Amino acid sequence: GNLSSLRTFCCNDNGLEGAIPDSLQYLSELRIFYGGNNNLSGSLPPWIDNTTWPELTHLRFNDNLLGGALPAGLGSLTKVRLFDVSNNDLTGTIPAGCEGWNDLVTWWSHGNDFTGPLHANLFSNKPVLGAINISGNRHEGAFPSITGSPSLTSLRAFDNFFTTLPAGLLSSPVLVVLNFTNNELTTLPDLSAQVNKTKLTVVLSNNRLDFSTMEAAKIAGLLSVTLTPQKNFKDITSVDPQEGQPLVLTARPAGSG
């Protein structure tokens, strides 16, 4: 039959296998697509864009066997509220257009193999954004700003290679979970100035934080903070001693450890 007016398509937990069928692109009125917890394989099709699914608000392909990069057209969608592609084998970078998802409430892309830095405004100026989980990937660099996203309650970005925490962190009024375990952080903002600190649980173990930085975080007045263990500093990877010459090890800069 003609299903072009269908608005909700839910096929979670059905043991579906194989590629995502191209026939779905004709569901032009689709708002909600839930296809999680199956055995779908292949890649997300290139026709997922604002021309095919202009009304789409919820997209869920979590816990499948999907691989490859996200289609570039994904970023042309304008009404996305829930995005969940967690626990697949997806690769590549996040499409730039996703910065424009101003109605975003939930972003879950954890448990994949995404790489590269994230776009600067991916999570900023999202007034109803409540949850971010981007853990278990290979993102690097500075975590993007969360300024202008006052509804954020949880930010999980563990098991990546992020080097700094997001701008706007200190002024997030309802943030209660911040987990950046196993990244490459070397500095922290003044967490004692975080506006919701008495309700905030922070997990920052397995980074490269020095003692003074950890001490400041420990006494910042947070509800809970986990800081240990930390990774070893890797200032010196090898030394080639010369017979008859003094052994010289270069010191780290004062105040850095």
Side-chain angles (χ1 to χ4, degrees):
N2 186 357
L3 298 178
S4 60
S5 297
L6 189 70
R7 296 190 175 191
T8 300
F9 189 101
C10 182
C11 57
N12 290 331
D13 304 293
N14 274 287
L16 300 177
E17 299 179 350
I20 298 166
D22 287 338
S23 56
L24 293 175
Q25 66 185 295
Y26 302 113
L27 304 179
S28 57
E29 297 296 321
L30 197 67
R31 269 75 167 168
I32 297 172
F33 185 94
Y34 285 170
N37 293 292
N38 285 293
N39 294 304
L40 297 173
S41 57
S43 59
L44 289 176
W47 45 257
I48 298 181
D49 60 23
N50 198 50
T51 301
T52 302
W53 286 347
E55 303 299 324
L56 192 72
T57 61
H58 293 63
L59 183 63
R60 174 165 273 170
F61 279 108
N62 60 289
D63 296 277
N64 278 285
L65 304 173
L66 298 169
L70 296 176
L74 190 71
S76 68
L77 297 170
T78 60
K79 299 181 180 181
V80 176
R81 294 176 61 82
L82 182 148
F83 178 66
D84 183 2
V85 292
S86 58
N87 300 318
N88 282 283
D89 295 309
L90 297 167
T91 60
T93 58
I94 305 299
C98 297
E99 290 181 301
W101 292 357
N102 294 327
D103 296 325
L104 187 66
V105 176
T106 302
W107 177 290
W108 287 338
S109 60
H110 51 282
N112 282 286
D113 198 26
F114 290 121
T115 56
L118 297 174
H119 301 287
N121 296 312
L122 182 61
F123 299 126
S124 63
N125 300 312
K126 308 289 188 293
V128 291
L129 178 59
I132 300 169
N133 192 341
I134 203 159
S135 305
N137 286 287
R138 292 191 290 138
H139 294 298
E140 60 189 26
F143 193 91
S145 172
I146 55 173
T147 300
S149 300
S151 302
L152 189 65
T153 61
S154 65
L155 171 50
R156 292 176 170 88
F158 54 87
D159 295 341
N160 279 285
F161 298 94
F162 291 116
T163 54
T164 61
L165 294 178
L169 168 65
L170 300 183
S171 57
S172 293
V174 295
L175 189 67
V176 294
V177 175
L178 179 73
N179 190 336
F180 273 76
T181 292
N182 196 31
N183 278 278
E184 294 293 324
L185 303 177
T186 58
T187 62
L188 298 177
D190 180 7
L191 294 175
S192 67
Q194 211 286 326
V195 296
N196 199 43
K197 65 182 182 180
T198 59
K199 299 178 181 179
L200 178 59
T201 294
V202 175
V203 186
L204 298 170
S205 52
N206 288 303
N207 281 279
R208 301 193 189 277
L209 303 175
D210 61 31
F211 179 80
S212 60
T213 301
M214 290 192 290
E215 182 67 15
K218 192 69 176 178
I219 62 173
L222 302 166
L223 174 65
S224 173
V225 58
T226 302
L227 296 164
T228 56
Q230 291 290 314
K231 298 175 183 176
N232 294 329
F233 287 101
K234 296 182 178 179
D235 302 295
I236 300 174
T237 57
S238 65
V239 176
D240 185 17
Q242 301 295 316
E243 186 175 352
Q245 298 296 321
L247 179 64
V248 177
L249 301 179
T250 304
R252 302 182 69 228
S256 63

